[in-house]
Amino acid sequence: MNVVIIGCGVVGAAIAYELSQVSELNVTVFDKQPPAQASTGAALGVLVGIISHKVKGKAWRLRQASIQRYETLIPELEALTGRTIPFNRQGILSLCVEAENLAGWESLAEIRHSQGWQLEIWDKAKLTSICPQLDHPQVIGAVYSPQDRQLDPTALTLALVEAAQQKGVNFQFGVNVLGIDTPENGKCHSIETTAGKFLSDWVIISAGLGSTALTAQLNQKIDIRPVLGQALQVSLGHLLGNPDFQPAINGNDVHIVPIGGGDYWIGATVEFPTDSDEILANQELLESVKQQAIAFCPELANAKIVRTWSGLRPRPEGRPAPVIGELPGLDNVLLATGHYRNGVLLAPATASMIREKVISQ
């Protein structure tokens, strides 16, 4: 059975790896760029699962499934490829400011406990004793999620690609998809690319922002709009606070992410397009994110900026993210796109859902 995957960010790569476990499938992946170049390459890789406020329904099930799968997926990929995937197992620490309702966090902690997960509520004294680098007058405490994680999205994607290649997946990078054939009997039978024509029993669209044009060709346009995110990497030359406790820190949607050697990622902005879909990176917004990080952790004022980068996140218009499932009216075209800010978090669960759809038929 020929399966075509269009798009090789972290979601497309995860689907390719998941489908590579099924020996009856012949999988080909197309991307006009090398892997992990678009929104994946710009992501901070903070896996906001247990500490998210989603407690039921599809949104929670996807998060929970992914957090569970990552615990086995990372060592599995490292063993297969010999690559090291930076994977921070020290959790996420979310800072609470004065205006925040700690009672809401306590309620969430109880729900998580009933679901078999942990959340800890820290008062100001405990926070100061464990993380002395955090010093902000309005911070009254924190929520610590020891079972959430952070990873390097690019390293993960490259490992997924290599592991899938080992199992026979054919990756075609630098290849544009020109068109998906006109459906017959509710099915698409081939796709036309700059590398030629390829037969398809299944087409999986995981092309992020490119999904809009592809679905429009099939008269089932899924409208996905770009949202820009900017981030920066800074170097202190030493670790903040306790060297043995380096969680990802979040405050007011600003992340401070340790990446080793006294370097940290800080981000990210959320910048929406104006009338057109073009977004010019706003340097003032990036500076604001940096200043908020310094306000939470004053020592960062001494850090040297190593690099800045940005990427466009795919956000579905008028419907919740992500878009996973069949394209209406077509039996063999599946969507796995529009993950917005949660592509890295939800990649394993998305891949599992797509695999189930394919093998069930």
Side-chain angles (χ1 to χ4, degrees):
M1 186 179 274
N2 295 309
V3 179
V4 168
I5 301 171
I6 305 172
C8 194
V10 67
V11 174
I15 293 168
Y17 176 68
E18 195 66 39
L19 294 182
S20 75
Q21 321 289 318
V22 185
S23 58
E24 297 86 353
L25 301 179
N26 175 34
V27 182
T28 306
V29 183
F30 296 98
D31 201 307
K32 62 184 179 183
Q33 305 178 93
Q37 293 297 298
S39 55
T40 299
L44 299 179
V46 181
L47 308 179
V48 181
I50 315 308
I51 204 168
S52 80
H53 288 281
K54 307 291 185 184
V55 296
K56 60 184 179 180
K58 181 181 174 183
W60 163 243
R61 289 196 304 273
L62 286 170
R63 278 174 164 78
Q64 178 172 239
S66 278
I67 291 291
Q68 289 169 329
R69 176 64 174 129
Y70 268 124
E71 294 304 308
T72 57
L73 180 63
I74 299 299
E76 192 178 297
L77 291 171
E78 289 184 330
L80 278 169
T81 64
R83 291 174 176 266
T84 298
I85 303 168
F87 188 53
N88 187 343
R89 292 179 169 86
Q90 298 198 24
I92 297 176
L93 185 67
S94 184
L95 306 179
C96 301
V97 296
E98 273 177 344
E100 212 159 344
N101 182 5
L102 271 177
W105 282 112
E106 285 162 0
S107 172
L108 181 63
E110 287 176 17
I111 292 169
R112 290 291 182 250
H113 182 72
S114 72
Q115 294 169 330
W117 299 96
Q118 293 171 258
L119 276 185
E120 301 172 13
I121 312 294
W122 294 1
D123 61 18
K124 180 78 176 233
K126 183 170 184 177
L127 175 63
T128 302
S129 68
I130 296 174
C131 297
Q133 75 272 28
L134 297 169
D135 182 19
H136 188 292
Q138 288 182 315
V139 171
I140 59 168
V143 181
Y144 178 53
S145 177
Q147 293 158 304
D148 279 324
R149 302 286 182 253
Q150 184 274 334
L151 52 76
D152 184 314
T154 299
L156 167 66
T157 305
L158 295 177
L160 287 164
V161 168
E162 186 175 326
Q165 278 174 325
Q166 287 180 18
K167 292 180 177 286
V169 173
N170 174 19
F171 287 88
Q172 300 261 341
F173 296 118
V175 173
N176 280 333
V177 173
L178 302 174
I180 303 173
D181 73 344
T182 305
E184 293 176 21
N185 307 322
K187 287 185 181 290
C188 296
H189 296 291
S190 66
I191 69 164
E192 195 71 46
T193 76
T194 49
K197 191 173 187 176
F198 290 79
L199 297 177
S200 57
D201 296 298
W202 284 97
V203 176
I204 298 160
I205 298 175
S206 60
L209 291 167
S211 305
T212 302
L214 289 166
T215 54
Q217 281 182 25
L218 299 168
N219 300 316
Q220 291 286 353
K221 181 179 175 182
I222 304 296
D223 193 5
I224 296 179
R225 305 285 177 87
V227 178
L228 184 80
Q230 296 183 78
L232 64 159
Q233 179 177 336
V234 301
S235 181
L236 265 175
H238 62 270
L239 297 175
L240 291 164
N242 179 355
D244 297 322
F245 184 61
Q246 294 287 306
I249 295 168
N250 169 272
N252 193 29
D253 204 25
V254 171
H255 293 282
I256 304 167
V257 180
I259 55 170
D263 281 20
Y264 292 82
W265 286 342
I266 296 172
T269 64
V270 179
E271 302 174 49
F272 292 91
T274 50
D275 295 338
S276 71
D277 273 349
E278 187 181 5
I279 315 173
L280 297 175
N282 185 329
Q283 292 307 308
E284 290 179 9
L285 288 177
L286 185 60
E287 179 63 22
S288 171
V289 166
K290 177 188 162 194
Q291 291 306 325
Q292 284 185 76
I294 290 171
F296 289 128
C297 185
E299 214 174 327
L300 287 172
N302 303 319
K304 181 178 72 177
I305 296 176
V306 176
R307 67 181 179 121
T308 62
W309 71 94
S310 66
L312 297 173
R313 311 175 182 105
R315 178 176 179 268
E317 182 73 11
R319 61 191 292 172
V323 183
I324 306 170
E326 294 173 4
L327 188 65
L330 297 169
D331 296 338
N332 68 335
V333 179
L334 297 175
L335 299 166
T337 190
H339 285 71
Y340 189 29
R341 300 178 73 185
N342 289 310
V344 181
L345 169 64
L346 300 181
T350 302
S352 180
M353 283 182 70
I354 294 296
R355 173 177 163 163
E356 289 307 309
K357 290 264 188 193
V358 171
I359 64 174
S360 70
Q361 297 184 33

